[in-house]
């Protein structure tokens, strides 16, 4: 297995970053995870746009331009013979003696890129069954719109889900509204087949899969409402699902032990999942 670290392609076992890397010291870093399908990166431009936004919000320098970054991602995929799976990239503010203030401008950012194959059938079997979700109090910082590596609250939420036999946790704000999942966006479908998901401007990460699915749904003539929804509303929803680059569109069949859609994946989520790759492949050309 080969990974990219700061200008070099190295064997996984030999790859390392410095102990004074600000990613390690302060979680002063941002990342992207892209789905790879038939050897192509799905929605690369949207991932690059979000990466740029994350970097800009944190006043962090880009490690290289987008054309070069695209070459590195593709090279890592090729060297690992990944046709179907994930490519991960992380940028940190670089290596400097531990000090809260940003280092001098001449400190280069750290760039790490890894890739791995994932059997697409695995996701299909999870989606065929649907997943359980538990709710947890929203306890993250206010800048969840930035895709930072500071993911400890997400890790703890997902551990809580796992302990309860669930696959994802949905954060709930103080007013009882669901924000998003530990590593996914949250959606429900109303009795009238309206897709409902929280606005990207309010307390969530703007998921690339979320954006692409909104496009797809509207093209198919479905109504999408970007508004906050409560736990109570979700429990009586016709269908529910999550989106992310790793899960695509995966049905939720249970929320805090309340069955959704009779505890089985519903027809609309199935249709959206199967429609996703057609549009995503087209978009990535
Ligand atoms: N929300 C959070 C907190 C995430 O970590 C992720 C993905 O990891 C998402 C949403 C979904 O984003 P995307 O569709 O770009 O993978």
């Amino acid at each position: 297995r080969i990974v990219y670290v700061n200008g070099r392609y190295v064997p996984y076992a030999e790859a390392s970053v410095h102990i004074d890397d600000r990613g390690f010291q302060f979680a002063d870093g941002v990342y992207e995870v892209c789905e790879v399908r038939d050897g192509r990166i799905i929605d690369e431009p949207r991932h690059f746009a979000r990466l740029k936004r994350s970097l800009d919000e944190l006043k962090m320098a880009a490690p290289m331009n987008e054309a070069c970054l695209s070459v590195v991602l593709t090279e890592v995929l090729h060297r690992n013979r990944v046709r179907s799976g994930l490519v991960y990239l992380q940028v940190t503010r670089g290596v400097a003696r531990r000090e809260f203030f940003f280092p001098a401008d001449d400190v280069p950012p750290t760039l790490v890129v890894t890739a791995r194959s994932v059997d697409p059938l695995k996701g299909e079997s999870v989606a065929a069954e649907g997943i359980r979700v538990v709710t947890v109090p929203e306890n993250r910082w206010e800048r969840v719109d930035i895709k930072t590596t500071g993911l400890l609250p997400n890790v703890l939420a997902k551990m809580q889900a796992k302990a309860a036999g669930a696959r994802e946790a949905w954060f709930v704000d103080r007013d009882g509204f669901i924000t998003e999942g530990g590593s996914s966006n949250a959606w429900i479908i109303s009795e009238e087949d309206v897709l409902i998901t929280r606005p990207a401007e309010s307390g969530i990460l703007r998921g690339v899969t979320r954006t692409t699915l909104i496009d797809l749904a509207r093209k198919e003539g479905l109504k999408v409402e970007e508004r906050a929804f409560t736990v109570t509303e979700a429990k009586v929803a016709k269908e529910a699902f999550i989106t992310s680059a790793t899960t695509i569109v995966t049905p939720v069949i249970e929320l805090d032990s309340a069955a959704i859609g009779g505890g089985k994946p519903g027809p609309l989520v199935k249709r959206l999942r199967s429609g996703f790759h057609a549009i995503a492949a087209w978009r990535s050309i």
Side-chain angles (χ1 to χ4, degrees):
R1 192 176 165 203
I2 301 293
V3 304
Y4 174 94
V5 186
N6 287 331
R8 298 198 311 138
Y9 297 92
V10 293
Y12 175 70
E14 290 164 28
S16 63
V17 292
H18 199 279
I19 61 161
D20 265 341
D21 193 283
R22 289 182 62 97
F24 180 59
Q25 295 289 359
F26 298 109
D28 190 0
V30 300
Y31 73 108
E32 286 294 327
V33 182
C34 313
E35 189 206 358
V36 179
R37 190 142 171 135
D38 300 325
R40 268 210 311 259
I41 298 169
I42 303 295
D43 270 331
E44 188 178 67
R46 279 188 171 145
H47 284 283
F48 282 176
R50 185 171 64 187
L51 175 66
K52 181 179 183 327
R53 183 179 180 279
S54 295
L55 291 168
D56 288 350
E57 291 294 315
L58 297 176
K59 299 185 167 40
M60 207 182 282
M64 58 181 65
N65 67 37
E66 288 182 5
C68 293
L69 187 55
S70 184
V71 170
V72 172
L73 298 188
T74 305
E75 187 63 25
V76 171
L77 290 172
H78 284 165
R79 290 191 186 218
N80 292 283
R81 295 187 175 80
V82 174
R83 299 279 307 157
S84 198
L86 302 168
V87 60
Y88 174 91
L89 74 91
Q90 182 177 151
V91 183
T92 80
R93 206 180 301 273
V95 178
R97 198 189 67 186
R98 190 181 180 283
E99 154 74 73
F100 281 77
F101 299 112
F102 293 170
D105 287 345
D106 60 356
V107 172
T110 296
L111 172 63
V112 171
V113 179
T114 63
R116 71 184 165 90
S117 296
V118 179
D119 181 356
L121 293 176
K122 227 162 111 185
E124 291 312 318
S125 70
V126 172
E129 280 200 12
I131 61 162
R132 295 193 175 84
V133 171
V134 295
T135 58
V136 295
E138 179 63 89
N139 59 0
R140 299 174 300 161
W141 72 327
E142 285 184 2
R143 295 309 309 275
V144 294
D145 57 306
I146 308 172
K147 197 165 170 67
T148 79
T149 55
L151 291 169
L152 194 51
N154 308 54
V155 167
L156 297 179
K158 290 181 76 87
M159 283 307 293
Q160 200 175 319
K162 193 176 179 188
R167 198 174 267 264
E168 180 59 299
W170 278 2
F171 290 110
V172 180
D173 71 15
R174 256 185 263 168
D175 302 315
F177 291 95
I178 289 160
T179 54
E180 64 180 333
S183 59
S184 58
N185 288 117
W187 300 67
I188 57 170
I189 301 177
S190 74
E191 262 329 299
E192 299 75 33
D193 287 344
V194 178
L195 275 55
I196 302 161
T197 193
R198 193 174 169 108
E201 296 76 23
S202 74
I204 65 162
L205 180 77
R206 188 187 291 274
V208 167
T209 319
R210 174 189 176 282
T211 306
T212 299
L213 195 73
I214 290 174
D215 280 358
L216 166 70
R218 292 201 168 130
K219 272 207 187 86
E220 299 233 328
L222 293 163
K223 214 168 144 199
V224 180
E225 251 179 53
E226 290 185 73
R227 65 162 174 88
F229 58 89
T230 63
V231 176
T232 315
E233 197 180 357
K235 282 183 178 169
V236 298
K238 195 172 177 186
E239 299 182 41
F241 62 101
I242 60 169
T243 55
S244 72
T246 49
T247 61
I248 321 297
V249 176
T250 296
V252 172
I253 53 161
E254 200 177 285
L255 182 62
D256 288 344
S257 347
I260 299 179
K264 285 200 301 270
L268 202 42
V269 178
K270 278 188 196 159
R271 184 175 133 200
L272 290 167
R273 183 179 172 90
S274 56
F276 183 87
H277 281 117
I279 188 171
W282 172 78
R283 279 187 46 78
S284 69
I285 291 168

